[in-house]
Amino acid sequence: MPPDKEPERKETTLDSLNGTLSWDDIKRTQYKYQVPETDHRKVHRTCVIDDTHKEKIKFSTGKTETITGQAVCVEVMTKKMSELFLEHARQQNLPEADSWLTQLMKRWQVTYIRGSANIRLYTSSQYCAQFTFPMIRPLMNAEDRAKLMGIRMGGNVVSYMGHAVWNHMQQIVRPVGAGLDRYIDTWKNGAQQRLFHIWWSGIERHGVMTLASRIANAIAQVWNQLDDDEPAARMASVRGVQSRLVSGLAEPKEPKVTTEIPGPQSKAMLKHLSQIQDTRAAIFAGDYTKSVGNYIADADGNLLLDMYCQIASIPVGYNNPRLLKAAQSPEMATALANRPALGVFPSTDWASALEESFMRVAPRGLDMVFTTAHGSDANELAYKAAFMHHARKCRGARGYSEQELSSVMDNQEPGSPSAAILSFSLGFHGRTFGALSTTRSKAVHKLDIPAFKQWPRAPFPQLRYPLEKYAQENAQEEKRCLEELERILRTHPVPIAAVIIEPIQSEGGDRHASAEFFRAVRSITQETDVLMIVDEVQTGCGATGSFWAHEQWDLPTPPDVVTFSKKMQAAGFFHTRALVPDQAYRNFNTWLGDLPRALIARGIIDEITEDNLVEQVRKTGEYLKSHLQPLAIRYHRLVTNVRGQGTFLAFDCPTTELRTEFLNLMRQEGVNMGGSGEVTVRFRPMLTLTKTHVNVFLTRLESVLNKMYKKHWP
């Protein structure tokens, strides 16, 4: 029966906005109303009720039950969020902003709820719960569902209910299903993931109205977290929402290659750039507004699965939501606009930034960090710390002599003493002046540059693969290298302040050694009172299946210094307090790192920790390696010596020329890869690489291997 009076409610519509409502008014309204059984259409047109309310609607008695709860004004909310997102997109000069708005409205069409009582009555039916949902789970054929309702229920009410069901299924469920078909593969985090699970559980267990209510409530929860004061902060406050929606980016299922690589746009851009910079090493011009996740876009619109990742330096994907959030934060804006000289005027939040980023992942036993600009810089300044530490040991308790203070100005002893850093054959530690004297990978890096001629080189083991087949030979090789290392350290005419070593010789051709070898190196350095510097510029930050590669060595005592850069998106070195210079300004420069880099590193570490990406790297690496090994048997003329840890993998080609041909063909197939050493193909993917990406890669890999076999070994 109709009620005696109209339902009591507070209604907010689009027409009532007029710029007078507060954001709280827009987000949620409190109201109380009655839903009579016989008048299904007298309902609030723009709000739905939370799933936290209490309700009871009886079909059989005709009684009207009171429903009290909070409502989400989704029509207003959808309009408001669209305006804000679109405004922000236009401020960012995104060319796809207008087309993106259309997609947004389609995606959120489910929030435009009308006739809620009709659907509530429909989903209250025991027949709907017992028969319809289990039988037609996808909810895509609304008309057939309405017919099924007619068969089950009978009578005049069936005709009315069938019409209501068909009408509201069209308005609500079908757009949801269509939207999910388009976005199910990309809604992987944040609010999108929650909405997807709510949608799926709703259609199986709760019915359409409860589903609609839960979706609206999930939207409200997102918007309740947003800061009312600043649209930009609002955009970035929920992980996943800002970057996915504002940028309109979604990782593709597979590569897309429509031109040769480099294509005409890349060639034109590189030609332009060549007028002001040397571009002879450039491969193509990247479009980083369209690169997303594990895929890099180029200037010609090609999308390549990136297994090289800016020379091993992208950790958690292009346009990562968390990093975009950090980049757009007020904290970042202040740091960029007011870059401090951190050694003299550190910002008030510098200590907390270091604690929340680098010190959270500091290697065992190293309780201090020195921040720098890049990997070469990190090694260079670590050498300075080692030399000052060595000199202080030699000087003892006495202060600086007048002779030292005067002679150093002429680069003479004793102020500028003879001392050295020992590195290993084919090692790479940077291209800056001091670091070059320890780099041994390629002559092109060192030609024409004066070097510290008395800095020695020790042999690094040249292992044979598969390791289990050549275990005895490899053990002998490592023993030979260790004996030579100890001999140099004990007999070299110039005192050696430190030994620097890579866990995996990256630029030198992905050369490995056993954990036993590295433990022996540590033992020898301690016996000879020489510092051990572990260069984790490439291997650090999870790439090998542990956060730091040297963690897998099980050292009895930690190294003295660990340098980092690349995937940390920042640089520096961890060290003990013993390496702090005896005076201020000795290891120093203006910036001493950068607060913005620390903020990005904090986001990266958060992402790695929360998503357990180091474990993912280990599992994905095992999966990739398990597929590369049989390919090395099948295509043995092209693929040999499969090796590596985590996803830090590699294999060898027979010649440099064939390696170059292979890399070029892989790019044409939509996979970006790189080389190391003379003949090695190296894998340097992101930590977010999954088995799905590996499967995409393997398909392209086999295609290229088949092409090369047909060409060279028909």
Side-chain angles (χ1 to χ4, degrees):
M1 296 179 61
D4 295 333
K5 59 181 181 179
E6 284 291 309
E8 178 185 351
R9 64 196 182 202
K10 176 183 178 181
E11 183 167 358
T12 304
T13 66
L14 293 175
D15 296 334
S16 67
L17 271 174
N18 296 324
T20 60
L21 294 177
S22 69
W23 184 245
D24 284 336
D25 290 331
I26 293 172
K27 283 192 297 188
R28 304 174 74 80
T29 60
Q30 291 275 359
Y31 71 99
K32 176 180 178 180
Y33 70 94
Q34 293 178 317
V35 180
E37 181 189 7
T38 56
D39 189 355
H40 308 300
R41 288 162 291 187
K42 285 190 176 182
V43 295
H44 196 276
R45 292 178 59 82
T46 59
C47 292
V48 295
I49 303 170
D50 287 350
D51 60 351
T52 58
H53 71 294
K54 295 181 179 180
E55 59 173 309
K56 190 174 183 182
I57 303 175
K58 294 184 178 179
F59 276 77
S60 56
T61 64
K63 292 183 178 180
T64 297
E65 299 292 333
T66 298
I67 304 172
T68 304
Q70 286 188 313
V72 180
C73 190
V74 292
E75 182 176 345
V76 173
M77 191 181 300
T78 300
K79 179 177 185 293
K80 189 68 176 177
M81 76 167 74
S82 301
E83 291 172 348
L84 290 171
F85 279 137
L86 182 59
E87 177 186 357
H88 187 73
R90 285 173 173 161
Q91 289 174 354
Q92 296 295 313
N93 295 318
L94 296 174
E96 65 270 31
D98 290 303
S99 62
W100 171 85
L101 177 61
T102 303
Q103 296 175 12
L104 173 83
M105 296 306 294
K106 290 180 179 178
R107 183 181 295 186
W108 292 90
Q109 202 167 9
V110 66
T111 65
Y112 192 81
I113 308 300
R114 294 190 178 188
S116 57
N118 288 338
I119 296 181
R120 184 173 299 284
L121 292 175
Y122 160 62
T123 57
S124 298
S125 165
Q126 60 175 319
Y127 296 102
C128 180
Q130 293 177 3
F131 299 105
T132 311
F133 281 99
M135 291 174 65
I136 311 179
R137 188 170 67 175
L139 288 181
M140 291 302 294
N141 193 327
E143 190 170 7
D144 288 346
R145 176 180 296 286
K147 292 177 181 177
L148 180 62
M149 287 293 297
I151 294 171
R152 293 291 181 185
M153 297 181 67
N156 292 333
V157 71
V158 171
S159 176
Y160 188 87
M161 288 295 295
H163 175 74
V165 169
W166 184 85
N167 182 47
H168 295 295
M169 292 289 284
Q170 290 284 345
Q171 291 187 34
I172 298 173
V173 179
R174 181 165 290 178
V176 177
L180 284 170
D181 279 348
R182 292 190 297 271
Y183 299 109
I184 188 172
D185 291 326
T186 59
W187 289 18
K188 297 300 184 186
N189 53 30
Q192 290 88 343
Q193 186 180 39
R194 291 199 298 276
L195 291 179
F196 169 68
H197 288 300
I198 290 168
W199 182 82
W200 193 251
S201 63
I203 63 174
E204 292 195 291
R205 302 176 189 174
H206 303 293
V208 180
M209 187 52 204
T210 305
L211 156 68
S213 176
R214 289 191 172 198
I215 290 175
N217 195 42
I219 298 167
Q221 289 173 356
V222 170
W223 282 85
N224 282 341
Q225 297 174 46
L226 303 183
D227 181 1
D228 296 341
D229 295 331
E230 175 153 355
R234 238 192 249 114
M235 310 304 309
S237 65
V238 180
R239 179 189 172 200
V241 173
Q242 186 274 334
S243 67
R244 294 283 183 185
L245 297 184
V246 169
S247 68
L249 296 177
E251 187 177 270
K253 293 182 179 180
E254 59 183 19
K256 181 187 75 172
V257 178
T258 58
T259 72
E260 64 174 346
I261 299 174
Q265 295 299 321
S266 276
K267 291 177 180 177
M269 181 269 165
L270 293 176
K271 182 179 180 180
H272 179 202
L273 180 61
S274 68
Q275 299 174 26
I276 50 178
Q277 279 195 338
D278 185 357
T279 61
R280 287 173 293 176
I283 297 173
F284 58 79
D287 185 343
Y288 299 106
T289 65
K290 296 179 181 177
S291 301
V292 57
N294 288 268
Y295 284 81
I296 184 171
D298 72 3
D300 294 275
N302 300 305
L303 276 168
L304 289 77
L305 177 64
D306 200 347
M307 302 290 279
Y308 195 34
C309 299
Q310 310 298 318
I311 319 177
S313 63
I314 300 293
V316 290
Y318 294 110
N319 283 297
N320 177 275
R322 191 189 297 271
L323 301 193
L324 287 178
K325 174 183 174 181
Q328 296 180 10
S329 68
E331 187 179 15
M332 180 68 78
T334 300
L336 288 170
N338 306 282
R339 186 177 184 181
L342 290 165
V344 181
F345 306 105
S347 57
T348 56
D349 53 353
W350 181 230
S352 60
L354 292 175
E355 291 169 344
E356 294 167 5
S357 56
F358 310 119
M359 296 313 298
R360 283 171 57 193
V361 294
R364 179 179 63 90
L366 305 183
D367 54 0
M368 300 197 75
V369 65
F370 189 101
T371 48
T372 68
H374 47 76
S376 299
D377 195 35
N379 287 332
E380 190 104 355
L381 290 166
Y383 299 168
K384 285 182 62 179
F387 286 133
M388 286 185 279
H389 174 73
H390 175 77
R392 189 164 63 246
K393 287 192 303 180
C394 296
R395 186 177 295 114
R398 70 171 177 83
Y400 307 107
S401 68
E402 287 298 325
Q403 188 180 11
E404 286 174 322
L405 294 173
S406 60
S407 63
V408 73
M409 304 310 294
D410 293 320
N411 299 332
Q412 299 296 316
E413 296 191 43
S416 182
S418 295
I421 303 291
L422 180 146
S423 58
F424 289 82
S425 58
L426 292 181
F428 180 89
H429 303 289
R431 295 180 174 89
T432 51
F433 192 78
L436 268 180
S437 285
T438 55
T439 286
R440 316 280 186 172
S441 54
K442 291 181 180 178
V444 68
H445 300 319
K446 298 168 66 75
L447 281 171
D448 301 328
I449 310 301
F452 295 103
K453 296 177 174 56
Q454 291 185 306
W455 288 21
R457 174 181 64 178
F460 191 88
Q462 180 63 58
L463 303 186
R464 300 182 66 187
Y465 296 86
L467 295 174
E468 58 275 10
K469 180 178 179 180
Y470 298 101
Q472 185 174 354
E473 292 93 328
N474 289 338
Q476 288 297 319
E477 170 68 0
E478 290 190 340
K479 180 182 178 183
R480 179 188 71 84
C481 293
L482 290 168
E483 290 174 349
E484 181 64 9
L485 170 65
E486 185 169 9
R487 185 194 67 79
I488 295 172
L489 289 178
R490 294 189 184 279
T491 64
H492 193 65
V494 173
I496 297 173
V499 167
I500 186 166
I501 193 166
E502 299 165 271
I504 300 171
Q505 287 194 325
S506 303
E507 297 295 329
D510 278 61
R511 302 194 331 152
H512 293 252
S514 69
E516 291 79 8
F517 174 83
F518 290 107
R519 285 196 292 270
V521 170
R522 182 55 178 147
S523 177
I524 292 170
T525 58
Q526 287 184 303
E527 290 172 4
T528 55
D529 195 22
V530 172
L531 297 179
M532 181 179 182
I533 303 172
V534 178
D535 181 347
E536 292 247 29
V537 168
Q538 278 216 31
T539 55
C541 199
T544 64
S546 56
F547 198 93
W548 302 108
H550 77 267
E551 293 172 353
Q552 301 178 38
W553 302 342
D554 193 25
L555 295 176
T557 57
D560 301 287
V561 176
V562 174
T563 62
F564 64 88
S565 187
K566 296 284 189 184
K567 279 186 168 61
M568 289 285 277
Q569 293 284 292
F573 62 90
F574 297 100
H575 60 93
T576 63
R577 291 185 182 276
L579 269 73
V580 177
D582 53 7
Q583 289 185 3
Y585 284 103
R586 298 206 63 199
N587 221 354
F588 186 86
N589 56 57
T590 299
W591 307 124
L592 282 180
D594 194 6
L595 177 56
R597 293 292 97 201
L599 298 178
I600 292 296
R602 181 177 67 187
I604 290 167
I605 294 166
D606 285 342
E607 192 91 351
I608 292 171
T609 302
E610 293 180 16
D611 292 347
N612 200 17
L613 291 183
V614 174
E615 177 64 14
Q616 179 172 309
V617 165
R618 187 184 64 79
K619 292 180 178 179
T620 305
E622 289 175 355
Y623 181 75
L624 174 55
K625 193 174 181 181
S626 71
H627 284 78
L628 290 175
Q629 288 167 333
L631 288 176
I633 297 173
R634 183 178 173 187
Y635 300 97
H636 61 91
R637 293 181 176 181
L638 273 174
V639 179
T640 60
N641 299 335
V642 173
R643 57 197 183 275
Q645 299 167 358
T647 54
F648 204 96
L649 302 175
F651 64 80
D652 292 333
C653 291
T655 66
T656 301
E657 293 73 23
L658 284 172
R659 194 265 306 272
T660 300
E661 181 182 349
F662 170 83
L663 295 176
N664 288 335
L665 286 174
M666 287 299 293
R667 280 190 283 272
Q668 306 310 317
E669 288 278 350
V671 178
N672 186 40
M673 299 192 72
S676 63
E678 297 297 326
V679 296
T680 300
V681 173
R682 56 173 158 174
F683 293 77
R684 299 294 187 267
M686 301 170 196
L687 308 181
T688 54
L689 190 79
T690 66
K691 292 180 180 179
T692 300
H693 297 115
V694 171
N695 291 336
V696 169
F697 163 75
L698 291 171
T699 300
R700 273 75 185 167
L701 174 62
E702 284 209 64
S703 173
V704 168
L705 293 176
N706 281 324
K707 289 178 181 177
M708 293 185 69
Y709 254 63
K710 289 179 181 178
K711 176 181 176 181
H712 297 284
W713 301 280

